[in-house]
């Protein structure tokens, strides 16, 4: 009795519920828009086809297996299946692709490998066109091929359409992102379908099927049906993401992008010739993202929570900071490091100079390696204040004093605070400048609240740098640097201090970091709603390093091996970082879905 409803109660609704709990903290407004959009398309497109199959007797449902209400002869449980399958598969696609910056996978027609991409595109088109032709052949498998032909005729044109629009992204993405969201729900639904067919919850009419089974009770037609429907959903989701990526990546083509772009605007973006893509921008963005992934796992994790052009600008900003750090800090000697600082200063002078033009900026960029040029040229100077960037360079100058003078530059607490302000508080201020620039309601922002949040952000930046200093005492010492104030040491220097004294002083800096964190973390709740989760994840994932260090201190364990990190640098395992990020969003007070 009511077997079809029982299928949902036992097999689909619980899975959808679990996925909802997992995904809910991660969902943005655009994610919800995508889910609703795909469900609407799936239901509207499938109803005529499914109604035809039922009315022509291709498949049927025993009266006692369904509750009773129908729409165009389709049982209510079947209509619900359209919704919940699309929902489950779309959530999986979102979860698998959440860390991905789709703009980094866009390619200009002139990019390396473009010819091979077009060839694979044509092969895919050929396969899908062949399936359409096959479904139209009147003698294909006779009447026994009816169900299979109807599946191919219904699905292949849409697959061809989606493939033609989004093949560059589908081919460029890692296979784990494109295949797993298809195969995981497909295999699961094959099992569910096998159980339902065996119990007689629904049945395929003899004479309309090929009689081939994948395994006992699973007809080949049903296996193909679930494979193509999940492919339709996942390809549709990536077509949506591809359209959004184009809109966000190219301000020259689309000056403004609404939070919920219309279907017409998304199709328009997909139809833009790839020859118009700014390949230099894509190259620089990819380089910035690579630097981020390699040099800051905490910020890389947090970047996946931000969306739209804010995420792109934050990646470009942090790319600038990491490029500067690599070139200056890794210079073979102090003289070359000083030259790099001068080159960065010249670049900022040209970028922010009122009398400078593009030619002057380009001239200063020529003094950098090509990969660095690609990142620096994209620094969003029109959306960032200049002062914090110059202060960042002052922090590098402090680092140089360790090798250029006999007197350690960090003598007092004020020296420590000044250094942390230069190298970290400035980053907080710059990040929040971008947050407020891109805020959907920026014209309605309260100036006093904004000022208070930026001040809190700069203090939080110092706290995170204190955690960084605590973590890196050993590696810094190997490089001849000590950021613990000299006045704290009993003998006046790190070299004369015992391991016990150094551990106590590391704890002192860590305690200061946690005190600032406790005082300033509530200010996150006053930030624009669309950016709160991203800022919270960025802060919490870095503070988690401090928690690991604190735990090691309490247990009397060495600090330089915390979390499985390399000797001299504590780190947080990837799974723990993900859990921290998820908890940061799931536990946010008054959390609202972000942009």
């Amino acid at each position: 009795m009511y077997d079809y409803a029982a299928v949902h109660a036992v097999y689909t609704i619980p899975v959808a519920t679990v996925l909802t709990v997992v995904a809910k903290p991660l969902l943005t407004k655009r994610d919800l828009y995508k889910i609703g959009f795909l469900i609407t398309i799936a239901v509207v497109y499938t109803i005529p086809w499914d109604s035809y199959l039922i009315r022509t007797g291709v498949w049927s449902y025993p009266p006692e297996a369904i509750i009773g209400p129908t729409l165009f002869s389709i049982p209510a449980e079947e209509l619900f299946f359209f919704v919940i399958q699309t929902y489950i598969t779309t959530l999986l696609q979102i979860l698998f692709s959440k860390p991905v910056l789709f703009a980094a996978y866009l390619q200009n027609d002139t990019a390396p490998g473009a010819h091979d991409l077009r060839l694979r595109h044509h092969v895919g088109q050929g396969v899908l066109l062949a399936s359409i032709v096959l479904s139209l052949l009147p003698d294909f498998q006779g009447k026994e091929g009816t169900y299979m032909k109807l599946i191919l005729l219904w699905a292949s044109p849409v697959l061809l359409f989606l493939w033609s629009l989004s093949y560059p992204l589908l081919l460029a993405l890692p296979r784990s992102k494109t295949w797993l969201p298809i195969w995981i729900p497909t295999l699961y639904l094959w099992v569910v379908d096998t159980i339902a067919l065996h119990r007689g919850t629904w049945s395929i009419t003899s004479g309309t099927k090929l009689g081939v089974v994948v395994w006992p009770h699973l007809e080949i037609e049903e296996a193909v049906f679930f494979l193509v429907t999940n492919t339709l959903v996942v390809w549709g989701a990536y077509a949506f993401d591809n359209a959004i990526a184009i809109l966000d990546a190219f301000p020259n083509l689309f000056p403004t992008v609404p939070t919920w772009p219309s279907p017409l605007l998304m199709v328009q973006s997909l139809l833009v010739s790839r020859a118009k893509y700014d390949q230099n921008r894509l190259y620089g963005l990819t380089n910035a993202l690579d630097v981020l992934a390699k040099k800051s796992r905490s910020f890389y994790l947090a970047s996946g929570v931000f969306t739209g052009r804010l995420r792109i600008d934050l990646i470009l900003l942090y790319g600038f900071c990491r490029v500067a750090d690599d070139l200056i800090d890794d210079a073979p000697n102090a003289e070359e490091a000083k030259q790099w600082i001068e080159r960065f200063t010249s670049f900022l002078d040209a970028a922010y100079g009122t009398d400078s033009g593009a030619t002057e900026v380009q001239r200063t960029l020529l003094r950098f390696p090509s990969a660095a040029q690609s990142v620096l040229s994209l620094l969003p100077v029109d959306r960032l204040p200049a002062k914090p960037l110059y202060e960042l360079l002052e922090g590098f100058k402090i680092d140089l004093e360790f090798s250029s003078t006999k007197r350690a530059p960090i003598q007092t607490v004020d020296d420590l605070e000044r250094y942390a302000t230069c190298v970290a508080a400035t980053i907080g201020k710059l990040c929040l400048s971008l947050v407020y620039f891109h805020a959907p309601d920026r014209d309605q922002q309260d100036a006093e609240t904004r000022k208070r949040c930026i001040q809190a952000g700069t203090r939080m930046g110092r706290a995170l740098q204190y955690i960084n200093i605590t973590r890196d005492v050993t590696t810094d010492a190997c490089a001849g640097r000590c950021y613990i104030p000299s006045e704290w040491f009993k003998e006046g220097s790190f070299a004369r201090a015992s391991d016990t004294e150094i551990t106590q002083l590391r704890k002192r800096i860590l305690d200061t970091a946690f005190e600032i964190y406790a005082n300033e973390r509530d200010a996150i709740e006053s930030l624009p709603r669309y950016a709160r989760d991203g800022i919270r994840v960025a802060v919490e994932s870095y503070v988690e390093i401090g928690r690991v260090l604190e735990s090691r201190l309490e247990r009397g364990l060495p600090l330089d091996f915390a979390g499985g990190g390399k000797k001299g640098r504590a780190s947080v395992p990837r799974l723990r970082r993900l859990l921290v990020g998820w908890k940061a969003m799931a536990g946010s007070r008054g959390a609202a879905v972000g942009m």
Side-chain angles (χ1 to χ4, degrees):
M1 191 72 172
Y2 304 148
D3 279 357
Y4 202 164
V7 167
H8 288 305
V10 175
Y11 298 109
T12 64
I13 294 176
V15 170
T17 301
V18 171
L19 286 174
T20 300
V21 171
V22 173
K24 184 179 178 182
L26 309 174
L27 298 178
T28 66
K29 286 183 178 179
R30 282 181 174 174
D31 290 329
L32 296 180
Y33 179 31
K34 177 164 67 174
I35 293 169
F37 181 80
L38 292 176
I39 288 176
T40 301
I41 295 297
V43 171
V44 171
Y45 185 67
T46 308
I47 282 176
W49 178 81
D50 195 84
S51 176
Y52 176 78
L53 265 65
I54 294 171
R55 287 186 289 106
T56 56
V58 174
W59 64 30
S60 60
Y61 308 88
E64 68 276 7
I66 59 176
I67 296 174
T70 62
L71 177 68
F72 302 115
S73 302
I74 305 173
E77 297 93 332
E78 179 80 350
L79 292 168
F80 183 70
F81 209 115
F82 303 162
V83 174
I84 201 161
Q85 181 188 351
T86 306
Y87 179 74
I88 288 171
T89 303
T90 306
L91 278 184
L92 280 171
Q93 187 269 344
I94 290 171
L95 288 171
F96 275 104
S97 63
K98 181 56 68 173
V100 176
L101 180 66
F102 293 105
Y105 289 91
L106 300 176
Q107 295 185 43
N108 185 285
D109 277 333
T110 62
H115 175 74
D116 178 62
L117 200 65
R118 286 193 294 271
L119 179 61
R120 295 165 70 187
H121 167 223
H122 294 319
V123 170
Q125 283 184 317
V127 171
L128 292 169
L129 283 170
S131 69
I132 294 174
V133 172
L134 192 65
S135 69
L136 294 173
L137 292 177
D139 296 328
F140 171 65
Q141 295 296 330
K143 187 178 179 182
E144 288 76 15
T146 300
Y147 187 15
M148 182 64 78
K149 287 194 294 185
L150 289 172
I151 292 172
L152 296 177
L153 184 60
W154 170 73
S156 297
V158 181
L159 289 173
L160 178 61
F161 174 74
L162 294 172
W163 175 260
S164 298
L165 289 179
S166 299
Y167 73 91
L169 181 63
L170 291 171
L171 291 173
L173 285 170
R175 292 181 180 178
S176 62
K177 308 299 182 186
T178 53
W179 284 104
L180 288 180
I182 294 173
W183 279 105
I184 290 175
T186 295
L187 291 172
Y188 180 74
L189 291 175
W190 280 0
V191 173
V192 174
D193 191 52
T194 301
I195 296 170
L197 287 169
H198 181 54
R199 293 177 57 180
T201 305
W202 54 75
S203 62
I204 307 170
T205 304
S206 297
T208 64
K209 58 184 179 180
L210 298 172
V212 178
V213 295
V214 176
W215 57 59
H217 304 293
L218 180 62
E219 306 284 352
I220 185 66
E221 290 88 349
E222 287 288 90
V224 171
F225 172 76
F226 284 114
L227 177 60
V228 298
T229 51
N230 285 315
T231 302
L232 284 167
V233 174
V234 171
W235 284 14
Y238 279 122
F240 183 101
D241 293 331
N242 194 14
I244 295 295
I246 296 168
L247 293 173
D248 288 338
F250 304 117
N252 60 318
L253 299 177
F254 301 96
T256 59
V257 181
T259 301
W260 291 357
S262 68
L264 181 62
L265 181 59
M266 288 192 288
V267 171
Q268 180 185 344
S269 69
L270 290 170
L271 294 177
V272 169
S273 170
R274 293 197 299 132
K276 294 183 179 180
Y277 291 1
D278 185 343
Q279 187 59 37
N280 290 332
R281 180 172 175 81
L282 295 177
Y283 176 60
L285 181 58
T286 301
N287 285 336
L289 191 65
D290 287 344
V291 168
L292 183 64
K294 294 174 183 176
K295 297 300 179 69
S296 178
R297 291 175 292 179
S298 297
F299 196 85
Y300 182 75
L301 171 66
S303 72
V305 183
F306 294 105
T307 59
R309 289 180 176 172
L310 171 61
R311 182 183 185 186
I312 290 174
D313 278 353
L314 286 172
I315 288 171
L316 294 175
L317 166 62
Y318 203 82
F320 168 88
C321 298
R322 293 309 313 182
V323 166
D325 186 71
D326 287 347
L327 290 175
I328 297 170
D329 211 38
D330 295 344
N333 54 64
E335 186 59 34
E336 186 170 328
K338 185 177 180 181
Q339 291 176 0
W340 282 120
I341 293 175
E342 292 172 352
R343 291 172 185 175
F344 276 101
T345 302
S346 298
F347 165 71
L348 292 178
D349 289 344
Y352 282 97
T354 54
D355 297 330
S356 302
T359 303
E360 179 62 18
V361 173
Q362 188 60 37
R363 186 187 66 80
T364 62
L365 286 174
L366 292 176
R367 303 169 71 186
F368 294 90
S370 60
Q373 289 181 38
S374 69
V375 176
L376 300 184
S377 64
L378 299 180
L379 183 68
V381 293
D382 59 326
R383 300 182 281 282
L384 292 170
K387 185 179 177 182
L389 291 168
Y390 283 103
E391 289 176 339
L392 179 64
L393 297 181
E394 290 299 315
F396 290 119
K397 292 179 182 178
I398 294 174
D399 286 332
L400 286 183
E401 292 180 28
F402 282 104
S403 56
S404 60
T405 63
K406 293 183 179 180
R407 180 180 181 275
I410 310 298
Q411 292 285 325
T412 67
V413 174
D414 288 342
D415 292 335
L416 173 62
E417 182 174 314
R418 174 173 171 265
Y419 175 75
T421 297
C422 288
V423 300
T426 53
I427 307 301
K429 186 179 294 184
L430 290 164
C431 287
L432 292 183
S433 296
L434 292 175
V435 165
Y436 280 104
F437 178 87
H438 287 287
D441 58 347
R442 65 175 179 172
D443 295 333
Q444 304 170 15
Q445 295 166 10
D446 178 67
E448 188 60 33
T449 300
R450 174 174 177 169
K451 179 180 178 181
R452 186 172 67 253
C453 286
I454 290 179
Q455 290 174 343
T458 58
R459 289 190 287 269
M460 186 67 82
R462 283 198 291 269
L464 300 186
Q465 183 60 27
Y466 292 161
I467 292 173
N468 190 52
I469 288 171
T470 305
R471 179 190 64 179
D472 293 344
V473 164
T474 300
T475 52
D476 288 335
C478 292
R481 299 174 182 176
C482 176
Y483 297 98
I484 301 174
S486 298
E487 66 179 11
W488 287 4
F489 291 104
K490 294 177 183 178
E491 298 294 329
S493 72
F494 177 87
R496 299 189 184 95
S498 65
D499 289 344
T500 300
E501 183 182 7
I502 293 171
T503 298
Q504 291 173 344
L505 296 182
R506 292 172 82 169
K507 185 178 185 304
R508 183 174 175 180
I509 295 177
L510 189 61
D511 289 343
T512 302
F514 277 116
E515 181 181 356
I516 297 173
Y517 162 75
N519 291 334
E520 306 301 341
R521 62 183 173 184
D522 287 346
I524 294 174
E525 307 307 320
S526 298
L527 290 171
R529 287 184 175 182
Y530 86 111
R532 287 178 196 169
D533 284 346
I535 297 296
R536 190 181 293 107
V537 171
V539 170
E540 292 297 332
S541 58
Y542 215 96
V543 169
E544 191 66 13
I545 298 173
R547 295 190 183 105
V548 170
L549 293 168
E550 185 178 51
S551 175
R552 304 281 293 190
L553 279 168
E554 290 174 352
R555 291 182 290 163
L557 298 174
L559 297 185
D560 301 327
F561 297 89
K566 295 179 180 179
K567 185 176 180 180
R569 286 183 69 94
S571 66
V572 179
R574 177 178 176 82
L575 182 60
R576 181 169 173 176
R577 289 200 310 272
L578 292 173
L579 184 59
V580 167
W582 185 86
K583 285 183 176 179
M585 292 181 289
S588 60
R589 294 173 300 164
V593 176
M595 177 177 168

